[in-house]
Amino acid sequence: MRARRYLPALRRCKYSPSDRKFISGLKEFIRAVPVNWRLAGVGRHICLKSVRGRAVAPNTARGKNTRLYLLGGVLFLWCFAICFRLVYLQIFCYGEYEQRAEHQHQRSIEVSARRGIIYDRGGHELAMSINVESVFAVPNEIPDLRGTISLISRITHENPHEILARCEASKTFCWVERKADADVAERIRNLNLRGIHFQKESKRFYPKRELAAQVLGYVGMDDDGVSGIEREYNDELKGKPGRMVISVDARKQWFGSVEKQPEPGQNIVLTLDQQIQYIAEKELATAMQQTHAISGTVIVENPHTGEILALANEPTFNPNVSEHLNPKRLVNHAISDVYEPGSTFKTITISAALDEKLTNPNEMVDCQMGSIVVDGVRIHDSEPHGVLTVSQVLAESSDVGAIKLAFRLGNERFYQYIRAFGFGEKTGIELPHETRGLLRPVDRWSRVALASTSMGQGVGISAIQLASLISAIANDGVHIAPHIVISTDSPPPPFQTVAFHPTGERRVISSYTAAEMKQMMEGVVLRGTGKKAVLEGYSSAGKTGTAQKFDREARAYSHTKYVGSFAGFAPVNNPAIVVAVIIDSAVGLHQGGQVAAPVFQRVAQQTLEYLHIPHDVELPASRRMLMAEKHVKERDLDEGSPDHPGEAVDAQDSGQDTVASATPITQGDAESGVLPASLREPELPKQDPVKTAQVNQFPSGSQQSSVLPMPLRGPVALDIEQGGIVVPSFIGKGLRSAIETAEASGLDLDAVGSGVANEQSPPAGTHVPAGSQVTVRFAR
């Protein structure tokens, strides 16, 4: 109340209108807030006038009010900035700072899932996962990090500097030895080192070691497939990994917990049979030691389903020890290597000509003493051949005869058959890095290209494509894509039966043509270049091949390096297996009949016995009956010319490729290689091929000399009384009558067409085992 005494002093001052508003407000303030102020000095200060006669008090109060506003604004902006920063850090940067905080005191580690098991067709484990110890360090807990790492590295034989660098880079976690062997983990545990801990992890283990190594492949340290089935089916096998959290408290004590349990991967069942795989690998390894070859491949296939029963490669490796592997040992030569097939490709040439009705197995072909000129390029046979039947062209592997049949086909038709057999494209087998081979477009073919392709040169194929080719012939002309995986979701043992349905079926040649090819390919083993493929108690058929390798350094075909091959099947009338053998760059003997056919013989013989396939050929009374096969001369196994087409000749030489004969031959006959009927030797009754097989699968010398006046070569087998069923004649009979005759004879009739029978295979009078199949062609 004392402040009110100064109001008269305020009234005596003269003010402007704006100042009066301020004074009026000040009065109200004084009345509302009674304070014990001494305002005498205040009143006198307010009444002071400036030089111009204006009151100073109102301007001073306005300046103070402005400063208050500024101070409030600054405080507001400062609070707003702090709040905005807090919002930014807590909301927008929350994840980043949370990860930084977790990284300082904990670490999340991926725990690999147990990979699925790989089984063979019998339920035997080929690849599995086992639990092993992994060693890791928590550097914050180790008092002497350098000394501890030094002790461990002496046991693991790892570089201590690398381990020390990893531990210094991470203070909370560092792998010291992942998936260690049991003895290594035990020795480290016995040291009882502070800061060293152990964690169970899944490690891939291959109990059969090198068995089917290129097929199975192997996995890396992170459990990802690197090659083979492990890589092709990595997503199915790997499963879903789990996570484990490792934390460090304020006292730097380590503790861990599993955050997410891993989910195991799927199991896979392969078509492989571990016993047949072992047979193939064992015999291939023996051949590699004998021939000193660079590499080799053996494939065993079921021709009726396309299932791969064995796929062996040399050199091989142990997938359990995948460190420091030579990359050359990891190559699956059966599907990745491309090579020129050589004479094995003649099976396509002749089967195509037969299927197009351009020839027949008994037609005589002039092979011009083993030499022919095509557009100025001379092509030789391995030895001079005169007049041969088409069957003998295949058995003796005559290049000249194959070329003449290819000329009848022409570029377009021959190319269509090559593509129909699956060449120039991938087979689709469930393995990585498969090649499609090399096949030039037909519009780039010349006559020389047609000639070279007909004998298996100038075209590149893989071993799996060769096995697929022979399987199509063995399967009555139906091509089935090869497969090596039966199922990807089978339950663990005990196994349930898994139905396997072949895919990619297509007919390439007729069943009648296939039957003719079977008989002709049996002749390759009986009388031709495949004599070392003779089996005991089983009939066999196949084709040899020898091709030059291209020398990239010399940019020309080598005269010292060859690829020898043999592909065949057994038994002939009802094939159970197809075996393809490739030997690359054998030292010394290199012909397919010399190095590959013996491997076929050993693999096929053991496999048929293992599968309990009934014998279709009577076993000899004494093993001395096999002396002929044991003493086959190597020169008798030579086949198509190892010279690659390209040898230029003079134009005048091209007119000399005719057969010397007392009877003139027309130009058309000379070009086609078909002799007029008047020049042909009278055909004698055919000798039973099965009879010869029962005696050691060699033709008698008398028959060899009666067909053509050729010098007798090789051993002579004894003529022994035959057994079995004599094939009756079906020619001229109707379908019903033929079926009745076959049933009465105990034979299986394969009827093709309708009407009256006009062709049959095998011919009438042949001795065959009971239940054998006889193909008869009917026409109206």
Side-chain angles (χ1 to χ4, degrees):
M1 300 301 296
R2 189 177 298 179
R4 295 180 182 179
R5 70 179 66 177
Y6 299 105
L7 291 178
L10 295 174
R11 294 191 186 99
R12 289 194 298 268
C13 297
K14 296 180 180 180
Y15 307 102
S16 64
S18 60
D19 293 338
R20 289 176 181 175
K21 290 183 180 181
F22 175 76
I23 295 300
S24 175
L26 183 60
K27 291 179 181 179
E28 294 294 329
F29 175 76
I30 293 174
R31 292 191 185 100
V33 184
V35 293
N36 190 13
W37 290 349
R38 300 177 65 87
L39 296 180
V42 175
R44 288 193 297 269
H45 177 73
I46 295 175
C47 292
L48 291 178
K49 295 181 179 179
S50 62
V51 178
R52 296 180 182 180
R54 296 179 58 189
V56 182
N59 293 333
T60 304
R62 186 184 303 173
K64 289 184 179 181
N65 194 29
T66 302
R67 286 195 295 272
L68 288 174
Y69 288 147
L70 289 176
L71 178 61
V74 170
L75 291 176
F76 174 79
L77 291 177
W78 178 69
C79 293
F80 177 80
I82 292 177
C83 293
F84 178 79
R85 181 63 176 173
L86 290 175
V87 170
Y88 175 76
L89 294 177
Q90 292 294 327
I91 297 178
F92 296 99
C93 298
Y94 173 79
E96 178 184 354
Y97 284 98
E98 183 184 35
Q99 291 180 359
R100 290 185 182 181
E102 289 180 355
H103 184 72
Q104 292 177 359
H105 64 86
Q106 69 179 19
R107 182 168 181 175
S108 179
I109 303 173
E110 185 178 277
V111 180
S112 58
R114 178 182 289 270
R115 286 181 72 89
I117 302 174
I118 302 178
Y119 299 97
D120 78 336
R121 64 187 304 110
H124 303 101
E125 296 173 337
L126 300 179
M128 57 190 298
S129 296
I130 58 176
N131 287 329
V132 295
E133 297 278 8
S134 289
V135 186
F136 67 92
V138 179
N140 289 335
E141 298 181 4
I142 302 175
D144 183 9
L145 182 61
R146 185 179 298 274
T148 301
I149 297 302
S150 178
L151 289 174
I152 295 176
S153 62
R154 295 178 185 178
I155 300 175
T156 61
H157 303 289
E158 297 289 339
N159 188 344
H161 301 289
E162 295 181 0
I163 302 176
L164 183 62
R166 293 199 304 265
C167 292
E168 290 177 347
S170 176
K171 298 298 184 181
T172 58
F173 179 88
C174 174
W175 285 115
V176 175
E177 179 70 9
R178 292 197 65 185
K179 302 179 181 180
D181 295 336
D183 57 340
V184 173
E186 187 63 24
R187 292 176 60 186
I188 297 176
R189 190 187 299 274
N190 292 335
L191 293 177
N192 197 21
L193 298 173
R194 183 180 177 184
I196 301 298
H197 305 276
F198 297 84
Q199 171 65 33
K200 290 285 186 180
E201 279 197 297
S202 177
K203 181 180 180 180
R204 206 60 167 164
F205 177 64
Y206 303 88
K208 310 299 181 183
R209 296 170 59 86
E210 292 86 357
L211 191 75
Q214 280 85 359
V215 174
L216 300 176
Y218 70 101
V219 299
M221 187 59 67
D222 56 356
D223 265 4
D224 282 329
V226 178
S227 64
I229 293 292
E230 297 279 18
R231 174 172 178 172
E232 189 72 8
Y233 287 87
N234 184 63
D235 293 339
E236 291 83 355
L237 288 166
K238 190 173 183 180
K240 297 181 180 179
R243 302 200 70 82
M244 183 182 71
V245 178
I246 297 177
S247 303
V248 179
D249 59 12
R251 298 181 179 180
K252 298 183 179 181
Q253 296 297 320
W254 170 88
F255 60 94
S257 61
V258 177
E259 188 177 68
K260 179 183 176 182
Q261 292 290 345
E263 298 180 12
Q266 299 178 9
N267 299 328
I268 290 182
V269 182
L270 303 183
T271 62
L272 297 181
D273 187 300
Q274 70 167 7
Q275 299 296 336
I276 302 177
Q277 180 73 26
Y278 172 76
I279 292 171
E281 292 190 4
K282 179 189 66 174
E283 299 301 338
L284 179 60
T286 300
M288 293 289 290
Q289 294 177 356
Q290 294 173 348
T291 62
H292 304 286
I294 296 177
S295 63
T297 299
V298 174
I299 299 175
V300 182
E301 181 178 351
N302 183 338
H304 305 296
T305 62
E307 294 174 290
I308 303 299
L309 304 179
L311 196 154
N313 287 277
E314 279 287 342
T316 185
F317 68 99
N318 183 359
N320 291 318
V321 188
S322 57
E323 297 85 2
H324 314 296
L325 277 177
N326 185 347
K328 294 182 179 179
R329 292 181 173 269
L330 303 177
V331 177
N332 191 340
H333 301 284
I335 64 171
S336 300
D337 283 4
V338 176
Y339 76 100
E340 293 187 352
S343 295
T344 54
F345 210 71
K346 293 173 184 173
T347 54
I348 298 181
T349 307
I350 295 177
S351 62
L354 291 173
D355 204 54
E356 291 292 328
K357 307 302 180 187
L358 301 177
T359 187
N360 62 76
N362 298 319
E363 182 180 4
M364 308 293 287
V365 179
D366 178 19
C367 294
Q368 304 179 182
M369 300 309 295
S371 178
I372 188 173
V373 177
V374 180
D375 289 350
V377 178
R378 184 181 296 278
I379 301 174
H380 299 277
D381 280 339
S382 60
E383 57 184 63
H385 295 294
V387 180
L388 300 176
T389 65
V390 175
S391 296
Q392 291 172 330
V393 168
L394 184 66
E396 299 295 336
S397 198
S398 171
D399 291 340
V400 176
I403 290 171
K404 290 189 173 183
L405 293 177
F407 284 162
R408 298 187 194 180
L409 284 166
N411 291 357
E412 290 291 342
R413 283 193 292 187
F414 189 32
Y415 181 80
Q416 290 175 1
Y417 275 94
I418 294 174
R419 291 304 303 267
F421 274 106
F423 295 96
E425 62 184 8
K426 296 181 179 180
T427 64
I429 191 170
E430 303 91 341
L431 289 171
H433 309 305
E434 183 189 4
T435 179
R436 66 179 67 236
L438 299 174
L439 180 63
R440 287 175 293 182
V442 67
D443 55 4
R444 294 172 52 189
W445 282 20
S446 62
R447 281 178 60 85
V448 175
L450 175 61
S452 62
T453 303
S454 69
M455 58 185 187
Q457 295 182 347
V459 59
I461 71 171
S462 64
I464 193 67
Q465 289 176 328
L466 175 62
S468 183
L469 160 65
I470 303 302
S471 293
I473 297 175
N475 193 33
D476 295 330
V478 177
H479 176 274
I480 298 178
H483 292 276
I484 203 167
V485 174
I486 294 179
S487 174
T488 58
D489 56 358
S490 294
F495 272 88
Q496 300 176 356
T497 301
V498 178
F500 181 79
H501 303 285
T503 59
E505 295 186 23
R506 63 176 182 271
R507 178 165 291 281
V508 181
I509 56 177
S510 66
S511 58
Y512 189 83
T513 300
E516 290 179 322
M517 286 299 300
K518 289 179 184 179
Q519 297 297 322
M520 294 170 65
M521 293 173 70
E522 184 181 18
V524 175
V525 177
L526 298 176
R527 299 173 290 275
T529 56
K531 295 184 178 71
K532 288 194 173 183
V534 174
L535 303 179
E536 298 181 24
Y538 299 99
S539 59
S540 59
K543 185 68 187 80
T544 57
T546 305
Q548 291 172 281
K549 292 188 65 176
F550 186 79
D551 190 343
R552 295 184 178 180
E553 295 182 358
R555 302 185 64 83
Y557 283 89
S558 172
H559 293 282
T560 58
K561 295 182 179 180
Y562 300 86
V563 177
S565 59
F566 184 92
F569 51 88
V572 174
N573 290 328
N574 188 21
I577 58 170
V578 167
V579 181
V581 181
I582 313 294
I583 303 296
D584 186 1
S585 302
V587 178
L589 299 177
H590 58 269
Q591 298 283 344
Q594 298 168 342
V595 296
V599 181
F600 167 89
Q601 189 274 334
R602 297 193 296 268
V603 173
Q605 185 74 46
Q606 297 176 63
T607 301
L608 292 172
E609 297 287 356
Y610 166 73
L611 296 175
H612 303 292
I613 303 299
H615 291 174
D616 66 333
V617 175
E618 184 179 353
L619 289 171
S622 173
R623 296 188 64 86
R624 289 179 299 177
M625 297 299 300
L626 299 176
M627 289 180 58
E629 186 264 333
K630 298 296 184 182
H631 295 86
V632 175
K633 296 181 179 179
E634 299 295 345
R635 64 182 179 84
D636 293 340
L637 305 181
D638 290 344
E639 52 186 330
S641 171
D643 296 329
H644 199 278
E647 180 183 356
V649 295
D650 295 334
Q652 58 185 3
D653 294 336
S654 61
Q656 300 177 0
D657 295 323
T658 56
V659 177
S661 175
T663 305
I665 302 176
T666 63
Q667 182 179 1
D669 293 333
E671 292 178 353
S672 63
V674 181
L675 293 181
S678 59
L679 295 182
R680 299 181 185 175
E681 292 282 345
E683 294 188 10
L684 299 179
K686 295 181 180 179
Q687 184 174 354
D688 178 16
V690 178
K691 169 183 175 180
T692 312
Q694 293 172 349
V695 182
N696 194 16
Q697 298 198 13
F698 280 96
S700 63
S702 59
Q703 183 189 6
Q704 180 76 10
S705 60
S706 63
V707 177
L708 290 173
M710 298 175 64
L712 184 64
R713 298 180 303 174
V716 179
L718 300 179
D719 189 6
I720 297 178
E721 183 179 357
Q722 317 174 66
I725 298 175
V726 179
V727 177
S729 176
F730 295 92
I731 305 300
K733 295 184 178 182
L735 180 59
R736 182 186 182 91
S737 178
I739 294 175
E740 294 175 351
T741 303
E743 290 180 351
S745 303
L747 299 173
D748 182 17
L749 180 67
D750 181 14
V752 180
S754 60
V756 180
N758 57 8
E759 290 180 299
Q760 73 176 72
S761 178
T766 303
H767 289 252
V768 298
S772 298
Q773 187 180 69
V774 178
T775 303
V776 180
R777 187 179 187 85
F778 295 84
R780 296 187 181 276

